[in-house]
Amino acid sequence: QVQLAESGGGSVQPGGSLRLACVASEFSLGFTLDNYPIGWFRQAPGKEREGVACISSYDGSTYYEDSVKGRFTISRDFTKNTVYLDMNSLKPEDTAVYYCATQDHSTWNAWTVCDNHYAMDFWGKGTLVTVSS
């Protein structure tokens, strides 16, 4: 029932910034993000899908993969049912397809979400981020 749609990907030079957005929705009225943890995952060519930044449903606590700490920020806008990933100081190794995903009415903490992409119930179709000079 939950639908996710990513946007904001594109091409940027090293050191640049992008903001990705994940808009969440469902058929019923009264949808709220506080029932759904959100994870941003990425998959580069030839590599496994990995959790990048995740946020818990119940308290908004966050987890970041080591390589993006201090550069990426995940946040929620409840009024827009949107989760953002602000990416700064981008590096070529950040190049990947970025996906947002969620687990239905989950209270998993942020680290657990990021470490268990296979357990997510709903996925967007991804947005491509390319970092190159």
Side-chain angles (χ1 to χ4, degrees):
Q1 294 181 356
V2 177
Q3 295 180 319
L4 303 173
E6 305 97 336
S7 63
S11 297
V12 65
Q13 293 183 336
S17 299
L18 286 173
R19 179 176 237 198
L20 306 184
C22 174
V23 179
S25 64
E26 63 177 5
F27 293 110
S28 64
L29 296 175
F31 175 86
T32 176
L33 287 174
D34 63 5
N35 289 323
Y36 300 91
I38 299 292
W40 282 100
F41 301 84
R42 68 185 180 188
Q43 189 163 21
K47 296 185 177 181
E48 293 288 319
R49 187 168 298 188
E50 64 177 351
V52 175
C54 296
I55 188 165
S56 69
S57 63
Y58 53 93
D59 64 359
S61 60
T62 58
Y63 168 83
Y64 298 94
E65 195 273 329
D66 285 343
S67 69
V68 308
K69 286 181 179 178
R71 300 190 297 120
F72 291 11
T73 302
I74 186 171
S75 61
R76 299 183 292 187
D77 185 334
F78 289 97
T79 66
K80 298 180 179 179
N81 288 331
T82 300
V83 178
Y84 298 101
L85 183 66
D86 290 298
M87 305 185 295
N88 300 306
S89 301
L90 283 162
K91 304 175 180 179
E93 51 263 45
D94 295 318
T95 297
V97 177
Y98 284 72
Y99 303 88
C100 64
T102 189
Q103 189 179 59
D104 193 14
H105 287 79
S106 173
T107 57
W108 281 12
N109 62 48
W111 180 89
T112 303
V113 172
C114 266
D115 198 43
N116 293 276
H117 65 86
Y118 58 87
M120 299 299 101
D121 295 310
F122 306 103
W123 290 83
K125 62 182 180 180
T127 185
L128 177 63
V129 172
T130 302
V131 185
S132 66
S133 58

